[in-house]
Amino acid sequence: MVSYGNALDINEIDLLNYFLNDPETKVILSYIEGLKSDAREYLELLRKATRLKPVVICKGGRTAVGSRMTLSHTASLAGSANLWETAIRQAGAVL
């Protein structure tokens, strides 16, 4: 388990890449409110990861209330729930 706070030093791409390449990691589970990094790069890496290991994404801020909570918690915009769901499923991960 990793808690990386406000992603000042590392971000979701760094962590996904680490767990993708870690031979001890069999399943990747990620709670994410919003991306601090490049969305395209993240989704490309997510596609690569899902070809090798099961990946489950727990996405915060998927409802109107959750989106407001995410904004107040991390000051990140959660983004469109439909867009997230589509992108994550197309990459082969489980939402």
Side-chain angles (χ1 to χ4, degrees), residues 20 45-55 88 91-94:
L20 164 64
L45 188 58
L46 184 59
R47 280 186 202 92
K48 182 178 177 183
T50 60
R51 288 192 295 264
L52 300 174
K53 303 176 183 191
V55 180
I88 289 169
V94 175

Side-chain angles (χ1 to χ4, degrees), residues 33-60:
E33 292 180 351
L35 294 176
K36 295 278 188 173
S37 57
D38 181 85
R40 244 177 250 243
E41 184 180 357
Y42 177 79
L43 289 172
E44 286 174 19
L45 188 58
L46 184 59
R47 280 186 202 92
K48 182 178 177 183
T50 60
R51 288 192 295 264
L52 300 174
K53 303 176 183 191
V55 180
V56 178
I57 306 289
C58 299
K59 174 68 177 81

Side-chain angles (χ1 to χ4, degrees), residues 21-95:
N21 292 298
D22 177 34
E24 297 294 315
T25 300
K26 305 300 181 208
V27 176
I28 300 170
L29 172 69
S30 175
Y31 172 80
I32 192 164
E33 292 180 351
L35 294 176
K36 295 278 188 173
S37 57
D38 181 85
R40 244 177 250 243
E41 184 180 357
Y42 177 79
L43 289 172
E44 286 174 19
L45 188 58
L46 184 59
R47 280 186 202 92
K48 182 178 177 183
T50 60
R51 288 192 295 264
L52 300 174
K53 303 176 183 191
V55 180
V56 178
I57 306 289
C58 299
K59 174 68 177 81
R62 293 175 58 202
T63 65
V65 172
S67 186
R68 286 193 306 272
M69 296 294 288
T70 298
L71 182 59
S72 69
H73 177 242
T74 62
S76 71
L77 296 176
S80 163
N82 289 337
L83 178 64
W84 269 98
E85 289 176 23
T86 301
I88 289 169
R89 286 199 175 105
Q90 284 181 350
V94 175
L95 185 65

